[in-house]
Amino acid sequence: MLFSSPAEFAQTLPAQSRLLGLDVGKKTIGLALSDVLRGIASPLLTIERTKFSKDIKQLKNIIEKHAVGGLVVGYPVNMDGSFGPRAQSTRSFATNCSKHIDLPMLLWDERLSTLAVERAMLEADLSRQRREQLVDKLAASYMLQGFLDYLKP
């Protein structure tokens, strides 16, 4: 089931289960994983996108392997709050995923997450090649951590 309300999404989550954060791009999907107490998000890996059926199969394997209880999908809303082509593409991807994965999913506003991660990597003086390897899963982690922080009382 796909949610846009974080409060409603949080109520549907099973206790003591991990969350999987997805940063969906045209060519890759960055993944991040929370701990079971939902306090810390950690970068997991980056999936190279191919066919939707192969992408879903990989996601299902990861969900099963890590006992994931819900998905937080980064939703690239424009700075003015409007929804552009990337947001529409991400919503379509999440809608299609919800037909194959029986877990609650949240579209979570990810404005500036990639920018913040890229800035941090530049400050750490990482090479361009290393930044390209890390940016998607780090952006997923940054975005998922934002949701985990929202959950804290």
Side-chain angles (χ1 to χ4, degrees), residues 76-77 79 109-119 139 142:
V77 179
M79 290 305 292
D109 186 345
E110 68 161 8
R111 277 181 259 196
L112 300 178
S113 62
T114 301
L115 181 64
V117 166
E118 286 175 346
R119 186 171 291 152
Y142 185 90

Side-chain angles (χ1 to χ4, degrees), residues 64-125:
E64 185 178 331
K65 178 181 178 182
H66 295 286
V68 171
L71 281 72
V72 179
V73 181
Y75 198 36
V77 179
N78 291 331
M79 290 305 292
D80 64 1
S82 64
F83 304 103
R86 276 199 58 224
Q88 292 169 359
S89 173
T90 299
R91 179 179 280 282
S92 294
F93 179 84
T95 300
N96 288 338
C97 281
S98 69
K99 295 174 185 173
H100 300 274
I101 297 172
D102 189 27
L103 288 175
M105 293 183 202
L106 172 67
L107 291 173
W108 179 255
D109 186 345
E110 68 161 8
R111 277 181 259 196
L112 300 178
S113 62
T114 301
L115 181 64
V117 166
E118 286 175 346
R119 186 171 291 152
M121 289 190 298
L122 283 170
E123 289 174 9
D125 201 27

Side-chain angles (χ1 to χ4, degrees), residues 2-49:
L2 189 59
F3 292 90
S4 55
S5 164
E8 290 176 17
F9 170 74
Q11 291 175 357
T12 66
L13 296 172
Q16 301 276 313
S17 64
R18 297 174 186 271
L19 297 178
L20 184 67
L22 285 76
D23 180 46
V24 180
K26 290 179 184 177
K27 297 179 183 178
T28 61
I29 304 170
L31 301 177
L33 193 64
S34 76
D35 60 333
V36 294
L37 298 177
R38 299 186 192 130
I40 298 172
S42 301
L44 184 60
L45 57 94
T46 300
I47 294 175
E48 295 293 326
R49 292 186 70 179

